[in-house]
Amino acid sequence: MTAPSLDIVKRAIGQELGPLTYSYCEREAALYALGIGAPADPLDQDELKFVYELSSRGFAVFPTFALIYLRDLHDHFLSGNLAGIVYNPMMVLHGEQYLELLRPLPVRGTVTTALSISQIYDKGSGMLLTIEGESADKSGETLAFSRWSVFIRGLGGFGGDRGPSRKVEAPQSAPDIVQEEKTSESQALLYRLAGDVNPLHADPQMAAIGNYDKPILHGLCTYGFAARAILRHCCANEPRRLASIGARFSQHVFPGETLQTEIWALDERELHFQTRALERNAVVLSNGRARLRPLGA
């Protein structure tokens, strides 16, 4: 691939990619929760409420479902052309994800997200784009803010700013909480039904173009598994307690691998976490931070 000119890159910064509109009901929310592994135990009422609309605990939307409001963003990625920047879609990697939750997600409704490219950095081996979105309901109330960092391999060297380098080391102490959960061999095929239909996660031939031995799990699926561990152990599975969550996708995950999420409580409201694929002892989510709301907030 040929790197774009610096002029093309500068023109792309600030360009809008939306608005995106997404309508859903309990079915879509439940399908997403199934895609991120809920419920680990079908008899656990605290997790059953995320997939069963008649739950005795009351149906609840899992908080990271807010990222599905931007599912049509994947169409932009798969187009091979973002604001005039041309690339091979199979060379796109999700670098980091941040989500801030401003209010509980409604169980159904129509949400509109204003979306734009906020920054583009030259990392040498590739290009890093930062895309920001603000999602609001029909009344205009903001539900969530998200920041997506996307790395396009092979598009570096265009002469742009390298950007900040942030690495958050895990605490040296043993984690306060550890949760292990095995993904299924068909986890990516189930998760893609929530809206991310990138063939990298389903088609072995497309995965080979991306230099993978077989299709890999969606980064946001791994992110959802980590969020479930945080919600279960630190929030009593109460969605409104998760105020924000962010992490870096440091390595890929193959469907069928076991995910171990390790959580450190920095104080009453701040958590550090990371997730590793146990079979390869590979840290697949790093720089993990989550912020909690106090009980009753």
Side-chain angles (χ1 to χ4, degrees):
M1 292 190 299
T2 303
S5 69
L6 185 57
D7 284 342
I8 290 176
V9 171
K10 288 181 176 179
R11 286 197 297 270
I13 297 173
Q15 285 201 30
E16 295 182 359
L17 302 178
L20 305 179
T21 301
Y22 179 65
S23 297
Y24 69 99
C25 62
E26 292 90 338
R27 181 182 184 277
E28 286 75 23
L31 186 60
Y32 168 78
L34 288 168
I36 60 170
D41 177 1
L43 300 181
D44 180 357
Q45 292 286 345
D46 283 335
E47 275 209 313
L48 190 63
K49 68 184 178 186
F50 296 122
V51 301
Y52 179 45
E53 69 279 7
L54 299 179
S55 168
S56 62
R57 304 289 172 84
F59 184 77
V61 178
F62 196 84
T64 52
F65 178 72
L67 296 172
I68 302 301
Y69 295 158
L70 289 78
R71 73 172 192 172
D72 288 346
L73 178 57
H74 301 298
D75 293 338
H76 287 286
F77 295 149
L78 291 175
S79 72
N81 188 327
L82 272 176
I85 297 170
V86 180
Y87 56 92
N88 181 343
M90 294 302 102
M91 303 303 283
V92 174
L93 295 174
H94 199 160
E96 296 188 26
Q97 183 67 60
Y98 172 78
L99 174 65
E100 184 176 350
L101 297 144
L102 303 178
R103 61 190 68 248
L105 305 182
V107 298
R108 57 176 60 201
T110 298
V111 176
T112 299
T113 301
L115 195 68
S116 64
I117 299 174
S118 62
Q119 296 289 344
I120 300 178
Y121 297 119
D122 187 344
K123 294 297 187 180
S125 62
M127 171 187 291
L128 183 68
L129 294 93
T130 301
I131 299 170
E132 296 184 346
E134 188 172 291
S135 301
D137 63 17
K138 273 191 171 181
S139 70
E141 292 281 355
T142 302
L143 300 172
F145 170 81
S146 55
R147 183 183 303 115
W148 305 60
S149 296
V150 179
F151 187 76
I152 306 177
R153 292 177 288 172
L155 280 196
F158 54 85
D161 181 7
R162 183 169 177 81
S165 179
R166 300 184 304 273
K167 186 175 181 180
V168 181
E169 297 288 350
Q172 294 299 307
S173 59
D176 299 298
I177 298 164
V178 176
Q179 174 169 300
E180 289 184 20
E181 196 165 0
K182 186 173 177 61
T183 64
S184 75
E185 296 286 347
S186 57
Q187 198 75 53
L189 298 175
L190 177 58
Y191 182 83
R192 74 189 298 270
L193 299 179
D196 186 345
V197 295
N198 188 334
L200 178 66
H201 305 294
D203 188 329
Q205 292 180 320
M206 291 298 182
I209 293 174
N211 296 319
Y212 295 107
D213 295 335
K214 58 182 180 179
I216 61 174
L217 192 61
H218 305 71
L220 285 181
C221 182
T222 304
Y223 188 90
F225 270 80
R228 283 183 47 241
I230 291 169
L231 212 69
R232 175 186 176 188
H233 294 286
C234 306
C235 305
N237 270 325
E238 174 50 60
R240 70 176 62 243
R241 292 207 58 206
L242 184 62
S244 66
I245 179 171
R248 175 176 296 172
F249 303 103
S250 48
Q251 286 203 47
H252 60 275
V253 173
F254 291 117
E257 290 187 318
T258 303
L259 297 176
Q260 176 174 287
T261 298
E262 303 158 357
I263 304 169
W264 290 262
L266 303 180
D267 57 38
E268 292 183 355
R269 297 183 59 184
E270 298 287 336
L271 306 175
H272 178 92
F273 70 93
Q274 66 180 20
T275 301
R276 66 178 72 239
L278 282 186
E279 288 79 358
R280 291 176 288 126
N281 194 31
V283 174
V284 296
L285 285 184
S286 60
N287 286 22
R289 294 295 290 264
R291 184 168 55 88
L292 309 181
R293 290 188 179 87
L295 286 170

